[in-house]
Amino acid sequence: MMNFAVILGNLGNTCDRFLSTGYKDQPPKAVMFKQAASIEGVSGIELVGSWDITTQNVAEVKQQLQDNGLKLASIIPDHFSQKRWGLGAFTSRDPEIRQQAIAETKAMMDAAVELGGDLVNLWPGQDGYDYPFQGNFDEAWCWIVEGVRECANYRKDVRLALEYKPKEPRTHSYMARAADTLLMALDTGCPNVGVTIDTSHSFVGGENVAEAAALLLRYKKLFHMHFNDNYRAWDDDMIVGSVHLVEYVELLYWLSKLKYDGWYSMDQYPYREDGRAAINESVRFVDGVWKKMNAFGLQRFGALLEKGEATSVSATMREFMGLA
Amino acid sequence: MMNFAVILGNLGNTCDRFLSTGYKDQPPKAVMFKQAASIEGVSGIELVGSWDITTQNVAEVKQQLQDNGLKLASIIPDHFSQKRWGLGAFTSRDPEIRQQAIAETKAMMDAAVELGGDLVNLWPGQDGYDYPFQGNFDEAWCWIVEGVRECANYRKDVRLALEYKPKEPRTHSYMARAADTLLMALDTGCPNVGVTIDTSHSFVGGENVAEAAALLLRYKKLFHMHFNDNYRAWDDDMIVGSVHLVEYVELLYWLSKLKYDGWYSMDQYPYREDGRAAINESVRFVDGVWKKMNAFGLQRFGALLEKGEATSVSATMREFMGLA
Amino acid sequence: MMNFAVILGNLGNTCDRFLSTGYKDQPPKAVMFKQAASIEGVSGIELVGSWDITTQNVAEVKQQLQDNGLKLASIIPDHFSQKRWGLGAFTSRDPEIRQQAIAETKAMMDAAVELGGDLVNLWPGQDGYDYPFQGNFDEAWCWIVEGVRECANYRKDVRLALEYKPKEPRTHSYMARAADTLLMALDTGCPNVGVTIDTSHSFVGGENVAEAAALLLRYKKLFHMHFNDNYRAWDDDMIVGSVHLVEYVELLYWLSKLKYDGWYSMDQYPYREDGRAAINESVRFVDGVWKKMNAFGLQRFGALLEKGEATSVSATMREFMGLA
Amino acid sequence: MMNFAVILGNLGNTCDRFLSTGYKDQPPKAVMFKQAASIEGVSGIELVGSWDITTQNVAEVKQQLQDNGLKLASIIPDHFSQKRWGLGAFTSRDPEIRQQAIAETKAMMDAAVELGGDLVNLWPGQDGYDYPFQGNFDEAWCWIVEGVRECANYRKDVRLALEYKPKEPRTHSYMARAADTLLMALDTGCPNVGVTIDTSHSFVGGENVAEAAALLLRYKKLFHMHFNDNYRAWDDDMIVGSVHLVEYVELLYWLSKLKYDGWYSMDQYPYREDGRAAINESVRFVDGVWKKMNAFGLQRFGALLEKGEATSVSATMREFMGLA
């Protein structure tokens, strides 16, 4: 019922600023594809530009997908992992860089189609600012809208999903939360531009993620979902369900109620954990919660919403959790 | 150049949940009007429904405004200080309450015009939710949009400014941040519906307030501004400039650049301070920063934006602050 | 096995700064005592000075406790709900007020003994500061330590538990978190001075509450526990378990492991809920989690700690939550 | 009057998890030493183990210090940048790793003395936990106290300063805030163990940094200071004064009042800025604020503390900032 996907790099080595070579060893790509395919329920893969996919290796990647019976969930073009993007990609003050950001997106749109996909997830992580008086808000907004529009018009058979995140690597991102990113998407005027929710980004943004999803679904703009968990202050990219429970229950309820039909894609940084085991835990959690919700009766959650009465919510959730 | 206003209640007694009778004594309304008028630069007053203004005392209030040479900046209808609003005003599950919320708004729109004003500031503080599965997001959004639209269409000579706040008194407000509230305003389709920024609400929401202002001004929807300060985690309603400096400099720059022409209204809760002195400090701070920025040269801040280079920002701000 | 208590006022009306008369009606005290006694598992009551208990009504209260078969869990002297404490109780710059804070504490220590108790919970909520350069940190620390020491030496058959809270009603409290409050307790040199953890205060403080409990238990200074829940940014005083789950599991494990033997006292502000129902939900949650943990096998949580391996934690917690 | 230092690596390339090779190019060490020495007022250098200093290159480094007329401010032993520390250094569950953490510290204590220093700054960044039930709090506390004690007793002519940080690279650090780290330092019983405040770490911890400094100075345990700035939610390691002003004024006041006599060391990650320029800005800011405070009259800040009255604070700060 849910289509699970994995960002391929989750299965590899991950680093931070103190240990730039990472906490683990990097397995070969072929091993990572196999590991992804071996997780029960996973049928899709997300690929990151530069790291996993370039215009040079499309055929190779296609073979890997086929060999492992995996579909392409999306490509995330690289707008963040090279020096040239350091001061912004779509919002670089250098017009040449802005053109490169657009060109990179178009190339990855082509690659996505070549690989059988129809979704490109844009996470322009460097598009933001660090300091006061560094962000030229008005200009940046226009550059994003124009750049994304140009890409969206390039080929209408590919949907572009804008992934918001309040901060990191910049202290402030231009696509910060659901509502502002929805405004950008609407501003392009392109039906093939929508929004991605990453659950941890939403937590960091102080959103109730279920409410963010409901907002985007009302506007028919929730194109994609990334799942992970954190302690709310930062994008810890932990195993789903490690910290939060009721928020995921509420989220899954609303995704179902408002008929989200996209991927449930895992996006983690298992710095010190076995990658496959960590991703598997996340899939098991989401799948397990959803199955338990259905066994419990989705209408019971709906009944809570009718009344909005807190002690009923509490009693129902206790029963759901099996607390006598 | 700036039109300063004061929310009248700031000059009175203020309470919290532990000391519900307040930390001070309540002065007579006439004294509060006089105090407001005595603050250099203040020419406007904001009135709160029930507390300051009802359909019964409009003539009386009109006299006070005239006697003190004050204009009505806005009325904030009471959608928060009575038991009937406890489970929501515009989003109450009881249709009768929703009608009352609308009726109260219309009555205050009439009162505003009667008092020579054209702005009503809507802060439906009880419209939100406290618990998981308590907020019926989709329904609530529609009720807000419909309710506000009905009010806006009631008389088009009054502008309605929706004041967002991430939380309190509910753990989550439906009008939480600039972008979602702008979406609501746009959704009404009414040109006389816009948004109010309260600087502390914006800080609590994790926004860069200058960026929020730029967003609303781009859409021609920044109708009103409330000024106060806090320590970012909560709506402390402190004296402006007590904690933040550079954020206000950046905000005032963008208000000027994108031609905000509304009120600069002070909204504080000086629980333990002399009310008049506390408000005066806030006006002096905003006025002082703005004058200093002009003396320094607004174009110098504009030059920073051109480059977006952090050490130049730092050097310029040091010079602005008079740090050799 | 767990001794549950309730703060009496939780069953009454509760207000906030926007609706100072509260969202409900105030029931008679006798009804509140009966309601507390009617909650399965509740055997203790906490009383708040001024609100519930004064030197004048001790006999009356004693009768209520007896009539309802309830023990006194603690008294919380009133250091927060009167104008005189507005600028601090133990740390007021007025020596007369500081003496009153001490006198009030001693009177409540006497009352506690008279009522069969041996615990006084000190929450000097006004002892803190709101603005920069308002807190005289060094002096305040000394005043707290000296004041508490004088109280502790007044009668050694009563234990004083210092309840920390990062903020509210001041923007900063002097007793802010577990470690600083423990330092204060140690600084008194009195064995009958310890610390209270309120779970929501700990969440607001950015603590992992289980770690805070372990710290205090290591020093034999965890004297008391208040339970409630929140959304981490503020002391929302919600039904326990409404938001958090795994944090409570970890907390209960450590309370057991390090042999906490005090009360499990509910401390909520059910603004818009039926008080008895809301408290009952909290007791059911804590009791239910603890019973489920025992049925599951406490040693299984201990085994997780031995290894500290994240995917095992995740798999175990999924099993605990009944997620296949 | 203030002794300024710089962490050498601030002048080099810095990376994050998305761009692990960094945003700039790495200059030769000799250039970095020269740049540090060229910043007006800088007389000390902090060195990081592995990155800047090993047992192999002590002589070389000594030469660099001499050639540039710089003193050693401290060494920060490497307990964070190698795979072996990934699951903890002092608190690794592997006793061999714990021994290595101690050995590394001793080696760097020797190196510090060899280089003319007497201070080692311990930042065991990997000593913490990421997930629930991953931290064995009790055991970890003991291991830290025992490990640090062994190092402190190794040679008493070197002071060990424990640098706290609430999180990163783990979601929770064991040395999280001033008060808990002070408790650890006291628990060692060693007079040569104290605490380092990093201003950004303190902001992230929700502390008022001036209050944290006052606490440590009261216990004679503030051994060292790192300066930088951030937006409070994360260790952004920005130019000092970019975001905060009044907090630094209050901090410098208390450092002076309680007679801090250690280094004022700059600790930044100027990812996208010229390193020397960014550090220079920070020194200029701290130096500039301190000079302006003295010109203004330190006793005026003291007078504010006597009264603790908010509007006086505001008026005084406006005057200090030159806002008419």
Side-chain angles (χ1 to χ4, degrees), chain C residues 206-313:
Chain C
E207 297 176 347
N208 182 345
V209 65
E211 189 173 9
L215 172 66
L216 295 173
L217 286 163
R218 181 180 312 119
Y219 281 85
K220 313 286 181 208
K221 287 297 194 187
L222 182 58
F223 281 12
H224 195 46
M225 292 283 312
H226 284 167
F227 282 80
N228 45 49
D229 211 344
N230 68 6
Y231 274 100
R232 296 196 198 202
W234 189 251
D235 185 29
D236 300 318
D237 280 335
M238 296 162 72
I239 295 169
V240 184
S242 297
V243 181
H244 295 83
L245 174 62
V246 68
E247 287 87 348
Y248 285 112
V249 176
E250 197 177 9
L251 171 62
L252 296 186
Y253 177 80
W254 279 92
L255 289 178
S256 163
K257 178 180 165 78
L258 299 185
K259 304 192 190 317
Y260 172 69
D261 60 0
W263 289 95
Y264 290 73
S265 187
M266 304 300 119
D267 177 4
Q268 297 172 229
Y269 260 63
Y271 298 99
R272 297 166 183 80
E273 290 79 38
D274 176 75
R276 190 201 167 280
I279 305 299
N280 180 58
E281 280 304 317
S282 288
V283 174
R284 297 285 70 78
F285 176 83
V286 177
D287 191 50
V289 169
W290 181 237
K291 282 178 178 153
K292 187 161 183 164
M293 288 173 68
N294 278 280
F296 188 74
L298 290 182
Q299 76 287 357
R300 298 193 58 187
F301 297 103
L304 294 177
L305 281 179
E306 289 302 311
K307 293 203 302 172
E309 200 278 307
T311 62
S312 306
V313 172

Side-chain angles (χ1 to χ4, degrees), chain B residues 217-231:
Chain B
L217 287 163
R218 181 181 312 120
Y219 281 85
K220 312 285 183 208
K221 288 295 194 187
L222 182 58
F223 281 11
H224 195 46
M225 290 283 312
H226 285 168
F227 282 81
N228 46 47
D229 211 344
N230 68 6
Y231 274 100

Side-chain angles (χ1 to χ4, degrees), chain B residues 118-282:
Chain B
D118 75 338
L119 182 70
V120 160
N121 182 89
L122 290 182
W123 178 62
Q126 305 288 358
D127 285 311
Y129 55 95
D130 296 317
Y131 282 85
F133 285 109
Q134 195 175 43
N136 200 337
F137 312 127
D138 219 35
E139 194 173 60
W141 182 281
C142 293
W143 282 336
I144 289 173
V145 169
E146 286 166 15
V148 171
R149 186 188 290 133
E150 180 177 335
C151 297
N153 287 336
Y154 171 66
R155 53 186 306 167
K156 302 190 177 176
D157 56 345
V158 175
R159 290 171 303 140
L160 299 177
L162 310 180
E163 181 176 0
Y164 65 89
K165 182 179 183 181
K167 55 182 159 240
E168 197 213 11
R170 313 306 298 266
T171 70
H172 297 75
S173 312
Y174 287 125
M175 297 180 187
R177 290 185 182 80
D180 51 74
T181 310
L182 173 57
L183 278 162
M184 284 180 187
L186 294 171
D187 209 357
T188 65
C190 302
N192 57 331
V193 176
V195 180
T196 296
I197 288 181
D198 176 293
T199 55
S200 275
H201 299 182
S202 179
F203 296 150
V204 170
E207 296 177 347
N208 182 346
V209 65
E211 190 173 9
L215 172 65
L216 295 172
L217 287 163
R218 181 181 312 120
Y219 281 85
K220 312 285 183 208
K221 288 295 194 187
L222 182 58
F223 281 11
H224 195 46
M225 290 283 312
H226 285 168
F227 282 81
N228 46 47
D229 211 344
N230 68 6
Y231 274 100
R232 295 194 198 203
W234 189 249
D235 185 30
D236 299 319
D237 279 336
M238 296 162 71
I239 296 168
V240 184
S242 296
V243 180
H244 295 83
L245 173 61
V246 69
E247 286 88 347
Y248 286 112
V249 177
E250 198 177 9
L251 171 62
L252 296 186
Y253 177 80
W254 279 93
L255 289 178
S256 164
K257 179 180 165 79
L258 299 185
K259 304 193 190 316
Y260 172 70
D261 60 0
W263 290 95
Y264 290 72
S265 187
M266 304 299 119
D267 177 3
Q268 298 172 229
Y269 259 62
Y271 298 98
R272 297 165 183 80
E273 290 78 39
D274 176 75
R276 190 200 167 280
I279 305 299
N280 180 58
E281 281 303 317
S282 289

